[in-house]
Amino acid sequence: MTIDDATRPLDTEASRPVSYYDGYTGYDPAFLHSAVPLPALTEEQRRNAAKRGGAVPGEDATVLPYTHFSVVVNRVRQLAYYTAVNIDGAQLVALPRDRDRWFFDPRIAESEQIGEELYRRNALDRGHLVRRLDPVWGPEPDRPNGDTFHFTNCSPQHERFNQGSDLWQGLENYILDNADVRERRLTVFTGPVLDEDDPLYKGVRLPLAFWKIVAYDRTDGSLAVAAYLLEQARLVEDLLAAEARFDPGMYRVSLSHLEERTGLDFRHLHDAELPLSSIGLETVADRVLITDDYSNVVL
């Protein structure tokens, strides 16, 4: 997350009427020239996924659609398995950020979502998974901006992790500005790594790492996909004792590595995966530390 997504004065948590979401279609798998379906859940993950009321036959009740993005929630952990967003870089609207007001999603139970209590009187921020400005394009930009302020799209992040640098925003902007991106469009999946041994704090297991997959069509029509991982364990040591699996920093990782860490299925993206690279050279390592200026990001 970015400084723009830092903790700000907060109104009391609230919820909208279910009718507010009428007509929402959410993430579009056909947004790019190449189709990019949602990641597949295992049978166990599907059993543990929150199910929205009112889903019609043929719809996946585990998918919560918003404006230009969707979220699938792990009801046991009360956090997203993943989010999926369509970004139209040529039409993004730089809406200023007003006073934060976070909402429960009434389509699933409040008990399946982490509310404000976790974030009181500590160094935890309400970290956006779908970045606030990513879906803010189209004829009604205020709508997707407000949709990102749902607890379903929120994950506990240490304030130094959430506010300390450009992190995901810098990466996405770098790709939009420098890659050979067809129509300047991106599809982005993001989520926390939900390990069974994540440390417990205020009754909630805190994720110690977050992942992102960026997909885009190059101008020749081919799909390009790359996966990233960011560790926050070293930054939550003030709250609890935890051992980081990686040193702090942003890493390029393989889709296979993310599948192992998350249990999600990304096999449909393997053929489009860019090689791991360090200073432009392919490597057999399972992760590559991204430099601060993103100069070793393969595009």
Side-chain angles (χ1 to χ4, degrees):
M1 297 304 106
T2 70
I3 292 175
D4 182 55
D5 281 338
T7 300
R8 296 167 186 261
L10 188 80
D11 288 340
T12 55
E13 56 199 12
S15 62
R16 297 183 173 100
V18 174
S19 60
Y20 180 87
Y21 307 88
D22 288 350
Y24 274 24
T25 57
Y27 171 78
D28 180 4
F31 183 70
L32 301 181
H33 179 72
S34 302
V36 183
L38 292 174
L41 301 179
T42 65
E43 290 185 9
E44 180 180 1
Q45 287 172 332
R46 183 165 288 276
R47 285 194 299 270
N48 290 332
K51 312 296 193 300
R52 62 183 166 96
V56 301
E59 287 185 333
D60 187 343
T62 67
V63 179
L64 296 170
Y66 299 96
T67 309
H68 305 318
F69 71 97
S70 296
V71 180
V72 175
V73 172
N74 180 325
R75 61 183 175 84
V76 178
R77 291 291 298 267
Q78 302 170 280
L79 295 170
Y81 273 122
Y82 65 81
T83 65
V85 62
N86 303 125
I87 305 173
D88 190 332
Q91 297 190 61
L92 287 175
V93 179
L95 284 183
R97 184 164 180 169
D98 296 324
R99 181 179 176 87
D100 287 4
R101 192 180 189 195
W102 288 85
F103 291 86
F104 286 109
D105 190 320
R107 296 172 294 178
I108 63 175
E110 283 192 13
S111 62
E112 298 172 337
Q113 306 167 67
I114 295 173
E116 177 60 20
E117 179 57 33
L118 176 65
Y119 302 97
R120 298 186 194 278
R121 297 179 295 278
N122 56 39
L124 290 177
D125 279 354
R126 309 155 201 85
H128 279 76
L129 294 174
V130 170
R131 185 166 62 106
R132 182 180 69 88
L133 293 177
D134 280 355
V136 180
W137 53 271
E140 297 182 81
D142 287 328
R143 191 80 166 198
N145 178 74
D147 282 354
T148 66
F149 286 95
H150 279 83
F151 285 115
T152 52
N153 184 44
C154 175
S155 192
Q157 295 178 345
H158 192 281
E159 60 188 11
R160 283 181 284 163
F161 177 98
N162 189 31
Q163 304 174 32
S165 70
D166 283 346
L167 301 179
W168 302 127
Q169 179 185 17
L171 175 67
E172 290 174 7
N173 286 345
Y174 179 85
I175 292 174
L176 276 170
D177 292 341
N178 294 279
D180 216 9
V181 181
R182 187 189 186 100
E183 299 177 353
R184 292 177 56 79
R185 288 186 167 196
L186 297 179
T187 281
V188 178
F189 301 108
T190 305
V193 175
L194 302 177
D195 286 332
E196 292 182 358
D197 58 353
D198 283 339
L200 197 63
Y201 177 73
K202 286 190 173 184
V204 174
R205 293 203 176 275
L206 300 181
L208 300 182
F210 296 84
W211 59 270
K212 182 180 292 289
I213 294 174
V214 179
Y216 59 93
D217 282 320
R218 291 178 280 204
T219 54
D220 65 1
S222 64
L223 183 67
V225 174
Y228 302 86
L229 189 72
L230 197 61
E231 179 76 52
Q232 73 164 352
R234 298 287 175 91
L235 298 178
V236 299
E237 290 176 351
D238 293 342
L239 293 174
L240 42 86
E243 181 179 354
R245 291 183 61 166
F246 291 174
D247 290 332
M250 188 189 305
Y251 292 84
R252 260 295 311 277
V253 296
S254 67
L255 290 172
S256 295
H257 181 92
L258 280 192
E259 288 170 333
E260 180 181 348
R261 293 286 299 271
T262 67
L264 297 169
D265 186 350
F266 303 114
R267 284 177 295 178
H268 58 292
L269 300 177
H270 280 205
D271 289 345
E273 184 175 14
L274 295 169
L276 293 181
S277 179
S278 179
I279 318 178
L281 300 176
E282 291 188 30
T283 174
V284 295
D286 65 351
R287 63 185 185 272
V288 174
L289 181 65
I290 300 299
T291 57
D292 290 342
D293 62 358
Y294 307 105
S295 59
N296 64 335
V297 173
V298 178
L299 300 173

